[in-house]
Amino acid sequence: MASLSRPKRGDNDRFRINAAKREGGPGAEGARCDGDHGGILHRRLKAITDIAGSSAWFERGFVTYSNEAKSQMIGVSEATLRENGAVSEPVVVEMAIGALRAARADYAISVSGVAGPDGASDEKPVGTVWFGVASVSGQGVTRRECFAGDREAVRRQATAYALNLLWQQFLQNT
């Protein structure tokens, strides 16, 4: 798979343009799952569903801010949450797989992180974000990043990174 580059200004727009170009071809249905960023992907990606015909390839999204929501809506194991914490690789893996199954989609993105200003620890400082992308073919990737800035800056960077991860790892060459 291609190496992943850091998000740049305009990556959200580039993703929307590329997604719209794919609209006429064999479309892949997608699901989003946003954990500890409180639906930031959903708010930022409203423009995706503003694209005429997006219903052919965008299925649904889940905002699973609490651990209870992660378990109830997309099947994240309570044991995984207890043992690893919400901001962890095992949790974003289960989030992505759970969103993929719940939406019956071809791809799912999961995001869980510490946007700040509270909730940080020595192991997971403010700006720590875990990403997961799963595909119906069984492929998946995870990444951990630590973004700089205030709460909004971390959320903005995480959104661009998540879309870039999906695009570069799964959609670019389809």
Side-chain angles (χ1 to χ4, degrees), residues 59-93:
E59 173 63 27
R60 68 183 82 177
F62 305 90
V63 178
T64 57
Y65 197 70
S66 71
N67 287 351
E68 184 177 1
K70 288 174 180 62
S71 293
Q72 287 179 354
M73 294 175 70
I74 54 173
V76 175
S77 160
E78 291 178 13
T80 302
L81 287 161
R82 189 174 46 255
E83 292 166 14
N84 299 283
V87 181
S88 64
E89 184 176 32
V91 168
V92 296
V93 167

Side-chain angles (χ1 to χ4, degrees), residues 91-116:
V91 168
V92 296
V93 167
E94 288 189 25
M95 287 172 67
I97 292 169
L100 190 72
R101 288 180 181 149
R104 295 181 310 273
D106 295 320
Y107 302 97
I109 306 171
S110 62
V111 179
S112 189
V114 182

